[in-house]
Amino acid sequence: MDINAYKAKGKINNRHLLTLVDYSTCEIFEILKLGQHLKFLLNKGKKHTYLKDKTLAMIFAKSSTRTRVSFEQGIRQLGGVPMFLSSSDIQLGRGEPISDTVKTLERYNVDGIMIRTFKQSDVSDLAKFGTIPIINGLTDDFHPCQALADILTVYERFGKLDGVRLAYFGDGNNVANSLMVAGAKTGMDIVICSPKSNAPNAEIVAEAQKFGKVTLTESVDEAARGADVIYTDVFFSMGQETDAKKQAQLLAYQVNTALMEKAEKHAIFMHCLPAHRGEEVSAEVIDGPQSVVFEQAENRLHAQKAVMTLLMK
Ligand code: CP
Ligand code: NVA
């Protein structure tokens, strides 16, 4: 199915956004199309209060700039109310079970929960023990909201997704995992280029490969050849210890001008941010003309507003 042939229906069957693994291609297209529509309405200054008076609780066990601000602004623009809950300030941080947390929040008429945490099982447990929609705002394993914003950015740039080649360089982390799943499901050609020791989780790779074209390679030349999109992320994700050996291995995969020159002339550079200039990417590339990192950051807002609308309406 090609996104350009897809007719939006205004609904999806999923009740949560946990990983995207359980999303159909059509459901992902539905989010992208609604995201574009909401972006259009916002830019035209048109009201779009689809979630009037709904409350989104936002639980953060890790730091955030983009996720926090885009969800807060997003729910407000939709007519709803954000409730920021740092896990170190609520009883969850002192060991209260996730099941009791969700059951309690529901009693106060919270309409949905966005959570950024460590274990993926905490996100699925919220969905299992509660009845309200749960949105994964990043775990050690996945970052589905980021992948949706990224794919929206690619779609805007190239006018298509089918056959667009995205080469990801560096650590096979949560961002890489979600890109593999979302990219494969939307017809993209995803290549993950990393040393074998930092390749993405084999089970997630196998899962993504069931849906579409996902390949792994250690060769920078092979990955960059024909690439329309060059993507990278930090060497060390939140919660990981820095490690000199891993750092040295990953430096060989740094996205710099020499690497960009191996890709297509029209190639764009992407990074979920925050970035470490001089580590996974050179300043010249991330601050250069091919970089679309702030378009990605902006699209977090539009894609997530679509997710909230479809799940919480
Ligand atoms: N990309 C992203 O999730 O950024 P934050 O960590 O700032 O939320
Ligand atoms: N892989 C990074 C992404 C940050 C948005 C992390 O998990 O820290």
Side-chain angles (χ1 to χ4, degrees):
M1 159 80 75
D2 188 315
I3 187 161
N4 288 315
Y6 182 74
K7 295 264 175 299
K9 294 177 189 65
K11 62 179 173 64
I12 58 173
N13 293 327
N14 259 287
R15 293 184 44 243
H16 307 285
L17 174 58
L18 307 180
T19 67
L20 282 178
V21 171
D22 48 354
Y23 269 62
S24 67
T25 298
C26 292
E27 286 178 309
I28 297 177
F29 289 167
E30 200 65 47
I31 294 169
L32 301 179
K33 293 275 181 185
L34 181 57
Q36 282 195 309
H37 176 63
L38 293 171
K39 184 172 185 173
F40 170 83
L41 293 180
L42 184 70
N43 290 340
K44 287 267 173 235
K46 291 199 164 116
K47 265 203 170 331
H48 46 281
T49 48
Y50 298 133
L51 296 180
K52 194 159 167 23
D53 299 330
K54 301 257 185 190
T55 301
L56 177 77
M58 312 192 311
I59 303 176
F60 282 90
K62 291 177 176 173
S63 309
S64 168
T65 299
R66 280 143 288 270
T67 306
R68 177 173 174 182
V69 178
S70 56
F71 268 106
E72 277 207 33
Q73 285 294 70
I75 186 75
R76 278 203 193 96
Q77 289 168 8
L78 290 166
V81 182
M83 182 188 286
F84 175 75
L85 302 170
S86 163
S87 70
S88 58
D89 296 339
I90 58 173
Q91 299 290 6
L92 185 64
R94 292 182 59 244
E96 182 169 20
I98 204 101
S99 50
D100 291 357
T101 304
V102 63
K103 287 177 190 167
T104 303
L105 293 182
E106 286 179 350
R107 294 292 173 128
Y108 301 131
N109 300 338
V110 164
D111 299 290
I113 299 176
M114 191 289 304
I115 180 165
R116 164 168 289 197
T117 190
F118 295 86
K119 293 189 305 205
Q120 182 65 29
S121 59
D122 281 349
V123 180
S124 40
D125 279 352
L126 281 175
K128 184 167 141 198
F129 294 107
T131 58
I132 56 178
I134 306 301
I135 301 171
N136 178 352
L138 179 147
T139 62
D140 292 346
D141 297 328
F142 292 105
H143 197 358
C145 293
Q146 183 68 52
L148 290 167
D150 294 341
I151 290 190
L152 177 58
T153 308
V154 170
Y155 182 44
E156 286 177 339
R157 280 275 163 166
F158 295 100
K160 62 176 186 172
L161 292 172
D162 211 32
V164 175
R165 180 173 168 91
L166 182 152
Y168 174 99
F169 294 85
D171 192 32
N173 60 16
N174 45 7
V175 168
N177 289 342
S178 287
L179 279 172
M180 287 192 295
V181 174
K185 290 198 178 206
T186 53
M188 292 177 66
D189 171 6
I190 306 290
V191 190
I192 307 291
C193 182
S194 60
K196 275 214 172 70
S197 51
N198 295 299
N201 176 302
E203 270 175 42
I204 299 172
V205 174
E207 193 63 33
Q209 283 172 333
K210 284 188 205 157
F211 307 119
K213 201 164 171 206
V214 175
T215 45
L216 303 191
T217 177
E218 286 189 285
S219 160
V220 170
D221 284 3
E222 191 186 314
R225 197 176 308 129
D228 304 297
V229 182
I230 301 288
Y231 201 120
T232 191
D233 186 19
V234 290
F235 292 165
F236 302 100
S237 286
M238 289 180 278
Q240 289 179 347
E241 297 285 329
T242 54
D243 162 354
K245 189 169 161 220
K246 180 178 172 185
Q247 163 120 6
Q249 279 177 329
L250 287 175
L251 267 177
Y253 295 79
Q254 184 192 69
V255 177
N256 48 35
T257 306
L259 190 150
M260 289 302 293
E261 280 169 1
K262 296 179 198 289
E264 291 291 318
K265 267 207 166 56
H266 62 240
I268 56 173
F269 169 74
M270 299 182 80
H271 191 308
C272 61
L273 303 178
H276 293 92
R277 288 167 175 77
E279 288 191 23
E280 74 274 8
V281 61
S282 68
E284 221 179 355
V285 169
I286 193 168
D287 300 321
Q290 287 165 288
S291 174
V292 299
V293 297
F294 297 109
E295 287 174 40
Q296 286 174 263
E298 181 190 329
N299 280 334
R300 292 290 303 276
L301 175 74
H302 310 301
Q304 289 162 192
K305 281 168 73 180
V307 169
M308 287 189 280
T309 302
L310 290 165
L311 296 178
M312 291 168 63
K313 202 169 44 179

